[in-house]
Amino acid sequence: MSVNTTQLAELCRVSLGTVDRALRNRPGINPETRQRILEMAKLHGYKPNLVARNLKLGKTNEIGLVLHDLENEFFSELTNQVQEIAWRHNYYVQLAITRRDSARERLALEHMAERRVDGIILFPTCSGNDFSSFLRSLDRPIMTIGNKVDSSWPFVGLRDRSVISELVEGIISKGYRRLFFVGPLANKAADGNLYEIEERYAGFVETIESHHGIQQIVLSEPDYVEQLARVDFSSERSAIVCVSDIFALEILRDLRRRGLSVPGDVGLVGFDSIHALRYIVPALATVEYPIHEMASIAFSKILEKTKESLVPFIELDPVIHWGESL
Amino acid sequence: MSVNTTQLAELCRVSLGTVDRALRNRPGINPETRQRILEMAKLHGYKPNLVARNLKLGKTNEIGLVLHDLENEFFSELTNQVQEIAWRHNYYVQLAITRRDSARERLALEHMAERRVDGIILFPTCSGNDFSSFLRSLDRPIMTIGNKVDSSWPFVGLRDRSVISELVEGIISKGYRRLFFVGPLANKAADGNLYEIEERYAGFVETIESHHGIQQIVLSEPDYVEQLARVDFSSERSAIVCVSDIFALEILRDLRRRGLSVPGDVGLVGFDSIHALRYIVPALATVEYPIHEMASIAFSKILEKTKESLVPFIELDPVIHWGESL
DNA sequence: CTGAAAGCGCTAACAA
DNA sequence: TTGTTAGCGCTTTCAG
């Protein structure tokens, strides 16, 4: 039903070159010929075949976005932003979800490379030298976000340590004396990438240790809710620091079941500032990820192909919302 | 850095055809030659150029997914599912977000067609004959989901009327005498597609009118929260039916501010069963969209290219969660 | 201003 | 078993 350039050329009794000059309005063509060709094109519903064009030009105007999942609102918002920015620059998005599966991450990345996307934005689930050279083998501009891989890969993420430090200082200054850290540090597979969480943990420990008499307890297993259920919060003024709002909400729900009040009996803080918090009482303290900025930096660095020059390494400062849960 | 088939052929001192037989292990090649070529390929990091392959084969193994946004958890979950199913079938996903902008929807769809995706899953924001023939002009298998366009397009959605009817029956049987309907019916642009909401509204009206003495009030404007703020709920036993959980949560928040209790002072029900409801008290009554089923039907119908044969038209039955808010 | 021809990288039919 | 060749649809250089 739809025609291609060759057929158009025949229909108009001109050569391929002329058709091309008309369609992509290049100079060097009689305005009337152009007009005629354009009308014929519209009449026959000509649609350029971008696969052919991309092959010819060695450029696809597509970027690959590879991330853990879309269930976490952080990622869906990120995808939204990347897609939005790409759209404005006439780029299109190939999406791949890894489910934190390292094999799948590699396959997805390989596919992106074979599809010759112009660049890749990657929230990595893998790390290590092997992975880093695997990335190099893809031979494409790659921007890592959130979790750092290497100093050899451009990166944009959060200034995690410092924000956690600020948070912990604030918590301590409110009189809390026992701090829990909730985050899946224990999930670490051989080459798993837990950069963000580790940074946050490091910031947590550093800051607490710079004070005297503050107790720290780490809950890194998936059964953190059960573990907290066995804690007696009346003995010591306690606060729970979570690396994600979801953890905090799970905990809040359980505390409520146990009849404990937040912040009356225990303080609670999340991370990410997901939309759902709007509907939660008490307003949860949290840290707002500058997602839009992150997406836009990631995208623009890829366009600039900063690959070869100085490897950019950007840390953004998130905003703390103190809410009413501390 | 990376080689192509031609270079591989030179490196191995064989012909292009032989290289191809080795790489795609087609028969008719000496096992040793194949071995040698494969080693060479690995050594030089050969990566097939899928753009070229796709051009040659006239098939991309990609599907386009075009939807409103990713902020609404319903859509991000849908994207997740589509991506997951596609992955299992060795298909890849091109994502486009329309922000309910009809021009953008058309551009996105046009791009998908030019990119020669093998099929498109569309949650449409447009409707009407014009749009329907526009879709036809794309000359590609298209599956519409959620909002119906036409009987000429395969569709999978909800049995909206019947589920709302069941819901309203339940509400009435609980003794409610005044029912509010909250949904953005008024957003309807010239060719806007509000199929789902209209269906729900129709079901709402039908069911109420089959009873005696039940009052119905429709709130179709964005200021529904303010409008509800002016309602005196003490005069009549009232319930609020929302077309989306988000509306219900906004309302719940405001009711709480006003010191009203749910369901004590007023009943409330949402739609979609978003994850965030886990953390809301009281447990909101809602309707669970069978997203996985929807995604998998949409995908498989596209693969079967049911385009030409009988146009499938599938309505799924969602599950009602009665929660504690009614 | 227009046409002819080569080539992007891969596939597949046809020869040898 | 291997090689040659044409062609997918488009872009672009070089002639005319």
Side-chain angles (χ1 to χ4, degrees):
Chain A
M1 144 163 191
S2 185
V3 297
N4 61 29
T5 42
T6 315
Q7 296 169 305
L8 253 187
E10 283 167 10
L11 284 165
C12 300
R13 301 175 176 289
V14 294
S15 74
L16 255 178
T18 305
V19 166
D20 188 58
R21 280 180 275 256
L23 292 175
R24 328 213 26 246
N25 52 53
R26 288 195 293 142
I29 181 177
N30 183 323
E32 289 169 12
T33 324
R34 153 171 301 149
Q35 193 56 29
R36 202 159 48 91
I37 296 176
L38 289 179
E39 275 164 13
M40 206 53 131
K42 171 162 280 179
L43 181 65
H44 288 84
Y46 168 75
K47 282 190 195 11
N49 182 328
L50 296 189
V51 181
R53 176 183 292 174
N54 292 345
L55 173 62
K56 178 68 200 181
L57 299 183
K59 182 167 190 330
T60 55
N61 269 48
E62 285 170 23
I63 63 160
L65 178 60
V66 180
L67 34 75
H68 294 177
D69 62 58
L70 284 180
E71 280 144 40
N72 191 324
E73 194 188 293
F74 164 72
F75 288 115
S76 55
E77 181 57 20
L78 182 69
T79 306
N80 219 1
Q81 295 292 346
V82 168
Q83 148 76 41
E84 187 63 28
I85 295 166
W87 176 267
R88 287 206 292 270
H89 293 256
N90 228 277
Y91 268 73
Y92 295 85
V93 175
Q94 286 260 350
L95 179 67
I97 287 167
T98 66
R99 293 180 164 282
R100 297 179 170 73
D101 175 330
S102 52
R104 199 159 152 170
E105 177 163 87
R106 283 182 185 235
L107 285 170
L109 288 164
E110 206 145 44
H111 174 80
M112 298 288 182
E114 296 179 350
R115 263 300 329 294
R116 302 296 193 261
V117 295
D118 292 341
I120 299 174
I121 296 180
L122 168 67
F123 200 114
T125 207
C126 293
S127 65
N129 286 338
D130 255 29
F131 186 63
S132 182
S133 51
F134 166 76
L135 290 184
R136 203 160 0 259
S137 79
L138 299 179
D139 195 24
R140 221 127 285 267
I142 296 178
M143 189 77 193
T144 59
I145 60 180
N147 284 336
K148 204 194 293 182
V149 168
D150 241 14
S151 56
S152 65
W153 293 101
F155 169 82
V156 54
L158 286 195
R159 207 181 308 283
D160 281 299
R161 284 192 196 221
S162 86
V163 70
I164 287 290
S165 178
E166 185 181 345
L167 196 57
V168 170
E169 290 288 355
I171 292 171
I172 291 174
S173 75
K174 281 173 190 279
Y176 291 96
R177 284 294 164 266
R178 182 170 58 172
L179 272 61
F180 291 82
F181 181 90
V182 176
L185 283 161
N187 281 350
K188 196 174 175 73
D191 62 347
N193 194 329
L194 296 176
Y195 178 82
E196 276 196 324
I197 298 176
E198 284 166 348
E199 285 292 296
R200 290 176 199 171
Y201 178 61
F204 179 81
V205 172
E206 271 169 23
T207 314
I208 287 185
E209 294 190 342
S210 71
H211 287 262
H212 284 292
I214 306 289
Q215 200 187 336
Q216 48 164 297
I217 298 169
V218 179
L219 301 175
S220 58
E221 305 282 346
D223 67 341
Y224 61 95
V225 171
E226 290 75 32
Q227 291 206 40
L228 285 169
R230 290 192 291 271
V231 173
D232 171 19
F233 289 112
S234 64
S235 63
E236 186 94 69
R237 188 91 185 98
S238 308
I240 305 169
V241 178
C242 304
V243 296
S244 142
D245 287 333
I246 300 296
F247 294 131
L249 290 178
E250 289 287 339
I251 291 167
L252 179 61
R253 188 162 70 137
D254 197 62
L255 292 172
R256 212 150 38 194
R257 282 204 193 115
R258 292 161 63 193
L260 293 171
S261 95
V262 172
D265 296 306
V266 56
L268 186 61
V269 51
F271 208 107
D272 289 346
S273 190
I274 62 177
H275 290 316
L277 297 189
R278 278 170 66 90
Y279 311 112
I280 303 295
V281 180
L284 188 69
T286 191
V287 178
E288 191 184 341
Y289 225 115
I291 296 184
H292 176 76
E293 212 180 333
M294 185 159 159
S296 107
I297 290 176
F299 186 80
S300 56
K301 289 297 170 200
I302 286 220
L303 283 201
E304 296 164 16
K305 294 199 181 65
T306 6
K307 245 183 88 199
E308 254 47 71
S309 66
L310 200 64
V311 176
F313 183 82
I314 297 153
E315 290 189 313
L316 304 174
D317 282 306
V319 178
I320 297 180
H321 297 286
W322 290 99
E324 301 157 348
S325 65
L326 281 171
Chain B
M1 144 159 194
S2 186
V3 297
N4 61 28
T5 42
T6 315
Q7 295 169 304
L8 252 187
E10 283 168 9
L11 285 166
C12 301
R13 302 176 175 291
V14 294
S15 74
L16 252 180
T18 305
V19 166
D20 188 55
R21 279 180 276 255
L23 291 175
R24 327 217 27 247
N25 52 54
R26 289 195 291 143
I29 182 177
N30 184 323
E32 288 170 13
T33 325
R34 155 171 301 149
Q35 193 56 30
R36 202 159 49 92
I37 296 176
L38 289 180
E39 275 164 15
M40 206 55 131
K42 172 162 280 180
L43 181 66
H44 288 83
Y46 169 76
K47 281 189 196 11
N49 183 328
L50 296 188
V51 181
R53 176 183 293 174
N54 292 345
L55 173 62
K56 175 69 199 180
L57 299 182
K59 182 169 190 329
T60 55
N61 268 46
E62 285 170 24
I63 63 160
L65 178 60
V66 180
L67 34 75
H68 294 176
D69 62 57
L70 284 180
E71 279 144 41
N72 191 324
E73 193 188 293
F74 164 72
F75 288 115
S76 55
E77 182 56 20
L78 182 70
T79 306
N80 219 1
Q81 294 291 346
V82 168
Q83 148 77 40
E84 187 64 28
I85 295 167
W87 175 267
R88 287 206 291 271
H89 293 257
N90 228 277
Y91 268 74
Y92 295 84
V93 176
Q94 285 260 353
L95 179 67
I97 288 166
T98 66
R99 292 181 165 281
R100 296 180 171 72
D101 175 331
S102 53
R104 197 159 152 170
E105 177 164 88
R106 283 181 184 236
L107 285 171
L109 288 164
E110 205 145 44
H111 174 81
M112 298 288 182
E114 296 180 349
R115 263 301 328 296
R116 301 297 193 260
V117 294
D118 292 340
I120 299 174
I121 296 179
L122 167 67
F123 200 114
T125 207
C126 293
S127 65
N129 286 338
D130 255 28
F131 186 63
S132 181
S133 52
F134 166 76
L135 289 184
R136 204 161 0 260
S137 79
L138 299 179
D139 194 26
R140 222 127 283 267
I142 297 179
M143 188 77 193
T144 59
I145 60 180
N147 284 337
K148 204 193 294 183
V149 169
D150 235 29
S151 56
S152 65
W153 293 102
F155 169 80
V156 53
L158 286 195
R159 207 181 308 283
D160 281 299
R161 284 191 197 222
S162 86
V163 70
I164 288 291
S165 179
E166 184 181 345
L167 196 58
V168 169
E169 290 289 355
I171 292 171
I172 291 173
S173 75
K174 281 174 191 279
Y176 290 96
R177 284 294 165 267
R178 182 171 57 173
L179 271 61
F180 292 82
F181 181 90
V182 176
L185 282 161
N187 282 351
K188 196 174 175 73
D191 61 347
N193 194 330
L194 296 176
Y195 178 83
E196 276 197 324
I197 298 175
E198 284 166 348
E199 284 293 296
R200 290 176 199 170
Y201 178 61
F204 178 82
V205 172
E206 271 169 23
T207 314
I208 287 184
E209 295 190 341
S210 71
H211 287 262
H212 284 293
I214 306 289
Q215 198 187 339
Q216 48 165 297
I217 297 167
V218 179
L219 302 175
S220 59
E221 304 282 346
D223 67 339
Y224 61 95
V225 170
E226 291 75 32
Q227 292 207 40
L228 285 169
R230 291 192 291 271
V231 173
D232 171 19
F233 289 113
S234 64
S235 62
E236 185 94 70
R237 188 91 185 98
S238 307
I240 305 168
V241 177
C242 304
V243 296
S244 143
D245 287 333
I246 299 295
F247 294 132
L249 290 178
E250 289 287 339
I251 290 167
L252 179 60
R253 189 163 70 137
D254 196 62
L255 292 172
R256 213 151 36 194
R257 281 205 193 114
R258 292 160 63 192
L260 293 170
S261 96
V262 173
D265 295 306
V266 57
L268 186 60
V269 50
F271 207 107
D272 289 346
S273 189
I274 63 177
H275 290 316
L277 297 189
R278 278 171 65 90
Y279 311 112
I280 303 295
V281 180
L284 189 69
T286 191
V287 178
E288 190 184 342
Y289 224 116
I291 297 184
H292 177 76
E293 213 180 334
M294 184 159 160
S296 106
I297 291 176
F299 187 80
S300 56
K301 290 296 170 201
I302 287 220
L303 283 200
E304 296 164 17
K305 294 199 181 66
T306 7
K307 245 185 87 200
E308 254 47 70
S309 66
L310 201 65
V311 176
F313 184 82
I314 297 154
E315 290 189 312
L316 304 174
D317 281 307
V319 178
I320 297 181
H321 297 287
W322 290 99
E324 301 157 349
S325 65
L326 281 172

